[in-house]
Amino acid sequence: MKKFARTAVGAASVVVLAAALGACGGDDDGGDGGSDSKTIALLLPETKTTRYEAFDKPLFEAKVQELCDDCEVKYLNADQDASKQQQQAESAITDGAAVLVLDPVDSEAAVGIVKSAQSSEVPVIAYDRFIEGADYYMSFDNERVGELQGQALVDATGGTGDILMLNGAPTDPNAAQFKAGAHKAIDASGLNVVAEFDNPDWSPDNAQKFVTSQLNNVDGASLAGVYAANDGQAGGVIAALRADGMTKFPPVTGQDAELAAIQRIVTGDQFMTIYKSIKTEAEKAAEVAVAIVNGDDVGDTTDFQGVKSFIFDPVVVTTDNIKDSVVADGFYSVEDICTPEYADACAAAGLS
């Protein structure tokens, strides 16, 4: 019943948005984006995950500037509010955006944004999260991400014991793919999922509360491991375990290669993360957006659910390959990671 209500609200929002953008599309003052416009709208979903403000936005903007002196990036962040993102898309198109680079809060609701933008002759690049009907899509092999996380947990635990699972937001299509991939590995093992949580906003606070509540049902000392779909949640998991009195933690997975997570891996608090080269993704999005603005060919693509796509490969990061992954790519320097607090752990990990 809740799912139906959420879908109905999303549909109503789409109808309103479509009407509003349809009216804008008939405006001769450039409401349809206009063939001469060189404005690129970058619409990101939230700020709780540090990657968007720290990496995606600046990397995208820098690449656009490098490729196109007279292009302008209009940046908008929805703060995990799908209605706000719909309004931002409407505003961007009304203001003359030539292309939308859209990382959706809610992919189902974003289908309406795509249709309305396209009716105004504004193409949409689905960035990081898939949107049905988008002109282009770019992301990582997300089911593979979940499978790598799940298999890492199976290997670290020996494939036996009780675990908790913390997945991403139900409105995020990537989260469903991570979850499916993780279950593929975990369900084929001897691990027992005691409880599972789909975190509605990927919040570390929610993750901490969930694990704290579950520690009333499962003895922390017997907890074999925790599947956390991203590093923010991994931080919440570890905070809950620490508050319960633990000093040595069971294996905890993660994703996004956040600096705090890399430091937790160095100290042994977090077992692994998934490194996805955000630089590769953000710069390719910028290249495609600029090509669209300039009327150029975007290059070779692959097909993903009927959408022309660029799919990138994820990398597992543990203590053993920090230097060969995030450091080698310039994502972080050794100095970024090895602040005085982590000097001894870095030395032990060969990062000094």
Side-chain angles (χ1 to χ4, degrees):
M1 191 67 185
K2 287 183 180 178
K3 183 176 181 181
F4 173 82
R6 184 164 57 247
T7 304
V9 171
S13 299
V14 167
V15 170
V16 172
L17 177 63
L21 294 185
C24 292
D27 189 344
D28 291 334
D29 293 330
D32 62 354
S35 59
D36 295 329
S37 172
K38 288 205 169 184
T39 299
I40 299 167
L42 175 64
L43 297 98
L44 298 183
E46 45 99 349
T47 58
K48 288 186 177 181
T49 303
T50 61
R51 58 167 284 188
Y52 295 117
E53 299 284 328
F55 294 103
D56 297 82
K57 175 182 180 288
L59 288 167
F60 180 87
E61 291 176 332
K63 191 63 175 181
V64 169
Q65 184 60 41
E66 175 191 325
L67 297 173
C68 183
D69 289 342
D70 54 347
C71 287
E72 176 189 359
V73 176
K74 181 180 179 67
Y75 172 62
L76 300 156
N77 193 295
D79 297 316
Q80 198 61 34
D81 184 333
S83 295
K84 180 177 179 179
Q85 189 166 66
Q86 290 173 337
Q87 293 164 2
Q88 289 173 336
E90 177 182 350
S91 173
I93 296 172
T94 301
D95 290 344
V99 59
L100 303 185
V101 179
L102 174 62
D103 191 340
V105 174
D106 183 330
S107 287
E108 290 186 11
V111 171
I113 296 176
V114 168
K115 290 179 178 178
S116 298
Q118 291 171 344
S119 72
S120 296
E121 299 182 357
V122 178
V124 178
I125 300 170
Y127 180 75
D128 202 55
R129 299 172 181 174
F130 183 75
I131 311 170
E132 183 180 346
D135 296 275
Y136 297 96
Y137 167 58
M138 57 191 60
S139 188
F140 292 81
D141 185 337
N142 294 313
E143 186 164 327
R144 179 63 178 156
V145 168
E147 192 171 359
L148 289 171
Q149 291 172 310
Q151 189 59 52
L153 189 60
V154 171
D155 293 344
T157 59
T160 60
D162 293 338
I163 66 167
L164 300 174
M165 288 191 71
L166 293 93
N167 306 305
T171 55
D172 180 347
N174 289 6
Q177 294 170 36
F178 301 146
K179 182 177 178 178
H183 269 292
K184 186 183 294 185
I186 290 168
D187 294 353
S189 74
L191 290 173
N192 174 45
V193 180
V194 176
E196 188 167 358
F197 175 52
D198 292 347
N199 192 336
D201 64 355
W202 290 94
S203 162
D205 291 340
N206 283 344
Q208 183 173 351
K209 290 174 184 175
F210 170 75
V211 173
T212 298
S213 69
Q214 291 304 315
L215 289 174
N216 294 323
N217 303 320
V218 58
D219 179 9
S222 67
L223 189 64
V226 181
Y227 170 82
N230 74 337
D231 290 335
Q233 293 194 93
V237 168
I238 291 166
L241 297 177
R242 181 174 283 116
D244 195 55
M246 285 192 195
T247 55
K248 183 174 176 56
F249 307 117
V252 178
T253 67
Q255 175 183 185
D256 292 329
E258 292 184 356
L259 179 57
I262 296 296
Q263 291 171 328
R264 288 194 297 265
I265 290 171
V266 167
T267 61
D269 291 347
Q270 182 171 325
F271 177 63
M272 59 80 71
T273 188
I274 294 290
Y275 170 53
K276 301 181 298 186
S277 177
I278 298 172
K279 186 175 191 293
T280 299
E281 185 179 26
E283 290 189 347
K284 175 56 73 172
E287 290 171 8
V288 173
V290 169
I292 290 171
V293 164
N294 289 331
D296 297 332
D297 183 12
V298 304
D300 294 336
T301 61
T302 188
D303 178 86
F304 184 86
Q305 297 184 23
V307 177
K308 295 176 181 178
S309 302
F310 302 87
I311 306 297
F312 314 112
D313 294 324
V315 175
V316 172
V317 178
T318 65
T319 307
D320 294 335
N321 68 331
I322 291 173
K323 184 176 286 187
D324 296 331
S325 55
V326 294
V327 173
D329 279 6
F331 196 61
Y332 302 120
S333 67
V334 170
E335 290 73 24
D336 291 332
I337 300 166
C338 299
T339 59
E341 180 182 356
Y342 298 96
D344 291 344
C346 279
L351 287 174
S352 56

